[in-house]
């Protein structure tokens, strides 16, 4: 199924709370463990935007509902599929704007863990979505995985969102307080990754990178 390409030049309005709830409800009606919810979708879209180049929409959109580019959408009508795609593209546009210029505007959809009166930030689900995007774009990242600035930035994200962590790493995110500490490092990590791949987004004085131009197309 052909999906519209993301176009950052379009004047897409950010999603309102009711539209976020609508998107989450539509996704929540799909059976399957690989379906994203709003929190993991926010991480997934951020990972796509941070990557060197945004894949074609037919490649990445179907992952939202746990499919691949050759699978049919799971919705009972084309109208519902179109609605989910439109909402996802507008959600992407909102994140994209946050990742340009002043990163203090970046507000990821992190979860909150509660116990009595205590609350902790918990970005595990968000980071799992981000890593799904990196897996999809792995060929773009392969030559930079081990660069110190990239490895350091990915550390909190892989600790929180990774599967089957080694015991020594799992021990670092075993408690809500530990996850809170690592989660609070994620926004700074995202800024470092944007600065690595797309410096012109944060500093217009930097000479434009052709790869960045392609990603923004």
């Amino acid at each position: 199924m052909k999906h519209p390409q993301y176009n950052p030049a379009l004047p897409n309005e950010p999603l309102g709370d009711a539209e976020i709830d609508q998107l989450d409800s539509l996704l929540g009606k799909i059976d399957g463990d690989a379906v994203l919810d709003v929190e993991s979708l926010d991480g997934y879209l951020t990972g796509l935007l941070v990557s060197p180049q945004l894949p074609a929409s037919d490649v990445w959109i179907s992952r939202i509902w746990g499919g691949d580019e050759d699978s049919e959408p799971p919705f009972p009508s084309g109208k519902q599929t179109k609605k989910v795609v439109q909402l996802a593209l507008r959600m992407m546009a909102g994140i994209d704007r946050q990742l340009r210029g002043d990163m203090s505007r970046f507000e990821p959809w992190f979860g909150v863990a509660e116990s009595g009166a205590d609350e902790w930030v918990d970005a595990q689900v968000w980071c799992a979505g981000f890593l799904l995007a990196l897996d999809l774009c792995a060929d773009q990242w392969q030559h930079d995985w081990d660069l110190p600035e990239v490895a350091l930035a990915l550390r909190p994200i892989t600790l929180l969102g990774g599967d089957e962590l080694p015991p020594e790493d799992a021990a670092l995110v075993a408690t809500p307080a530990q996850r809170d500490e690592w989660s609070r490092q994620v926004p700074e990590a995202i800024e470092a990754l944007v600065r690595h791949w797309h410096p012109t987004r944060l500093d217009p004085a930097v000479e434009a990178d052709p790869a960045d131009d392609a990603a923004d197309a």
Side-chain angles (χ1 to χ4, degrees), residues 83-151:
K83 188 62 177 179
V84 168
V85 172
Q86 289 176 335
L87 291 173
L89 289 170
R90 283 179 54 204
M91 188 174 182
M92 173 175 270
I95 298 168
D96 197 0
R97 292 192 186 99
Q98 294 177 32
L99 297 177
R100 295 176 184 272
D102 183 5
M103 282 291 293
S104 66
R105 301 176 301 173
F106 181 52
E107 297 181 352
W109 281 71
F110 291 167
V112 176
E114 299 180 3
S115 178
D118 296 322
E119 289 188 350
W120 299 274
V121 178
D122 192 333
Q124 284 184 298
V125 173
W126 190 95
C127 290
F130 188 94
L131 293 178
L132 176 63
L134 264 60
D135 183 61
L136 190 63
C137 301
D139 58 330
Q140 301 179 28
W141 288 71
Q142 61 181 337
H143 299 300
D144 290 59
W145 289 124
D146 296 327
L147 292 179
E149 65 269 26
V150 174

Side-chain angles (χ1 to χ4, degrees), residues 149-185:
E149 65 269 26
V150 174
L152 183 64
L154 287 175
R155 179 65 169 160
I157 298 170
T158 54
L159 278 176
L160 290 163
D163 292 327
E164 300 180 3
L165 295 174
E168 60 272 19
D169 285 348
L172 298 175
V173 288
T175 69
Q178 289 174 310
R179 293 191 290 274
D180 180 281
E181 182 177 355
W182 284 106
S183 296
R184 294 180 188 277
Q185 297 178 40

Side-chain angles (χ1 to χ4, degrees), residues 12 18 24 29 35 49 55 62 64 88 105 117 131 136 145 147 158 175 180 186 200 202:
N12 289 304
D24 205 32
K29 295 175 181 177
V35 182
L49 290 165
S62 56
I64 294 174
R105 301 176 301 173
L131 293 178
L136 190 63
W145 289 124
L147 292 179
T158 54
T175 69
D180 180 281
V186 172
T200 57
L202 303 181

Side-chain angles (χ1 to χ4, degrees), residues 16-86:
D17 290 343
E19 291 172 312
I20 290 287
D21 290 342
Q22 181 184 20
L23 178 57
D24 205 32
S25 176
L26 287 168
L27 293 174
K29 295 175 181 177
I30 306 170
D31 292 330
D33 296 334
V35 182
L36 303 183
D37 60 11
V38 166
E39 187 178 345
S40 54
L41 177 59
D42 191 77
Y44 177 61
L45 297 177
T46 303
L48 292 172
L49 290 165
V50 166
S51 293
Q53 291 185 311
L54 182 66
S57 291
D58 292 337
V59 174
W60 68 263
I61 284 179
S62 56
R63 267 69 176 184
I64 294 174
W65 47 74
D68 56 44
E69 59 186 298
D70 297 321
S71 60
E72 290 295 321
F75 303 100
S77 71
K79 184 177 180 180
Q80 285 187 333
T81 301
K82 182 179 180 180
K83 188 62 177 179
V84 168
V85 172
Q86 289 176 335

